[in-house]
Amino acid sequence: SMWVKNAGVENKDLWCCGAAELRFSVFSNKKFGLIPDGDPNSAQSLYADGTALDPSAWYRIYIGRRSDNSFRMVINGHLASNKVNNGKLLSGDMTIGSFSKGTSYFFSGYIADFYIVDGQELDENTFGRYNSKGVWVPVDPKKDGDTAWFGPEGRHLTFADSSDVGKDYSGNDNHHTVTGFELADTSSP
């Protein structure tokens, strides 16, 4: 689960795992897509048509891998796809905001409140809910430090600490190395 705000640049990966075996991307037709086998033209790919249309909006993305190895994608509380596909467990490097480690193909936008929970089947209501005005808003599951809840590969990245942007708050020490963006304050006095 993560919050995403696209800066209008398409065909960029927000999250990638296992040497591009599983990719989550924003595409040129302004939709989000989950690519379980690395090939955006594959019949196994899941797309949420018309979901990334507003560059001023934040989107809460939830992707759940179910017990039958299929994926469920929910965008701001709306089921984007319920297609059964051959989801697989992945190993290898995980990158956030790019296609793979060391690439110059970076996502242009914002990613916040990034969760991975390993070993249990949760739903989108764990991380979000509708407020009284019908807007999807965040829910804090309040599990930071609970390594049993997160599972061994679980992580929670807030990106809030400029001195350690890739810090994992899950308690698992699954920290990420930060590359490809400027952390210095460049505002004028």
Side-chain angles (χ1 to χ4, degrees), residues 6-27:
N6 184 21
V9 178
E10 299 92 11
N11 292 339
K12 298 292 184 174
D13 293 309
L14 286 92
W15 173 73
C16 190
C17 186
E21 292 174 357
L22 180 66
R23 298 165 52 196
F24 182 74
S25 306
V26 175
F27 291 94

Side-chain angles (χ1 to χ4, degrees), residues 166-188:
K167 181 178 181 180
D168 172 23
Y169 289 87
S170 73
N172 285 327
D173 294 328
N174 290 324
H175 306 294
H176 286 253
T177 302
V178 178
T179 61
F181 64 95
E182 180 63 52
L183 296 175
D185 182 2
T186 58
S187 61
S188 300

Side-chain angles (χ1 to χ4, degrees), residues 90-110:
L90 301 171
S91 60
D93 288 337
M94 176 188 300
T95 58
I96 300 169
S98 71
F99 176 74
S100 64
K101 194 173 179 181
T103 186
S104 60
Y105 191 62
F106 295 107
F107 171 67
S108 179
Y110 302 95

Side-chain angles (χ1 to χ4, degrees), residues 48-130:
D49 293 324
T51 51
L53 295 176
D54 185 353
S56 68
W58 280 92
Y59 297 92
R60 171 60 107 177
I61 311 298
Y62 162 85
I63 300 167
R65 183 175 169 274
R66 297 180 290 191
S67 58
D68 66 357
N69 288 335
S70 66
F71 287 97
R72 184 167 187 261
M73 184 166 47
V74 179
I75 313 288
N76 285 353
H78 299 285
L79 183 64
S81 181
N82 201 24
K83 180 178 175 183
V84 175
N85 52 42
N86 297 321
K88 53 187 165 180
L89 290 172
L90 301 171
S91 60
D93 288 337
M94 176 188 300
T95 58
I96 300 169
S98 71
F99 176 74
S100 64
K101 194 173 179 181
T103 186
S104 60
Y105 191 62
F106 295 107
F107 171 67
S108 179
Y110 302 95
I111 302 173
D113 208 21
F114 182 93
Y115 282 91
I116 289 184
V117 178
D118 178 22
Q120 59 177 312
E121 191 175 342
L122 303 171
D123 67 23
E124 65 276 9
N125 297 310
T126 304
F127 305 101
R129 65 171 179 81
Y130 288 107

